[in-house]
Amino acid sequence: DAGKLLNLQAASLTVGGGFSGTFPSAPLSLWVVGASFGIDQFSGLIRFTNAAALTATLSTTLFAPVTTGLTIETNVASPLNTLSLGVSASWKLGVLSNTISLNYASPNVTAKWIVSAGF
């Protein structure tokens, strides 16, 4: 964990990647590299795939008990035409877990409220 290696208190940094494919004809047909981090009440990730898809997320528990988040996704070959933005808020109330989200992916805007019960 790079956060501990750098002696950062209450912080973490994890870097990784992976690949899959058919050997030997296309050994790296699918691959992804990325990093995730956590600093105090903030966490996030950044990820890039061989399809030129870039994803970045950031979430915070600054407004606890509500966790809020932001997600940005795009294809770096055509960033404006493939831009997708999302915001969300999640919280628990007794046995109910709630998530409200609003997503924009041109030209569509999607709003969701998901409620689940856990015992």
Side-chain angles (χ1 to χ4, degrees), residues 47-70:
R47 176 177 57 223
F48 185 72
T49 71
N50 65 309
L54 179 65
T55 302
T57 67
L58 179 65
S59 64
T60 183
T61 57
L62 195 60
F63 309 108
V66 177
T67 299
T68 56
L70 170 70

Side-chain angles (χ1 to χ4, degrees), residues 73-108:
E73 296 180 36
T74 192
N75 185 303
V76 295
S78 179
L80 294 179
N81 295 333
T82 60
L83 183 64
S84 172
L85 300 171
V87 293
S88 65
S90 301
W91 69 96
K92 283 190 85 164
L93 188 58
V95 298
L96 299 178
S97 295
N98 296 272
T99 300
I100 294 176
S101 63
L102 182 64
N103 295 300
Y104 167 78
S106 183
N108 302 315

Side-chain angles (χ1 to χ4, degrees), residues 10 15 28 37 39-42 45 53 63 80:
V15 177
L28 297 176
F37 67 89
I39 302 172
D40 195 22
Q41 298 173 329
F42 297 91
L45 70 84
F63 309 108
L80 294 179

Side-chain angles (χ1 to χ4, degrees), residues 2-65:
K4 291 178 184 171
L5 180 68
L6 297 171
N7 198 25
L8 296 174
Q9 301 299 318
S12 66
L13 175 65
T14 305
V15 177
F19 65 91
S20 66
T22 306
F23 290 90
S25 62
L28 297 176
S29 59
L30 300 171
W31 57 264
V32 62
V33 294
S36 62
F37 67 89
I39 302 172
D40 195 22
Q41 298 173 329
F42 297 91
S43 62
L45 70 84
I46 188 161
R47 176 177 57 223
F48 185 72
T49 71
N50 65 309
L54 179 65
T55 302
T57 67
L58 179 65
S59 64
T60 183
T61 57
L62 195 60
F63 309 108

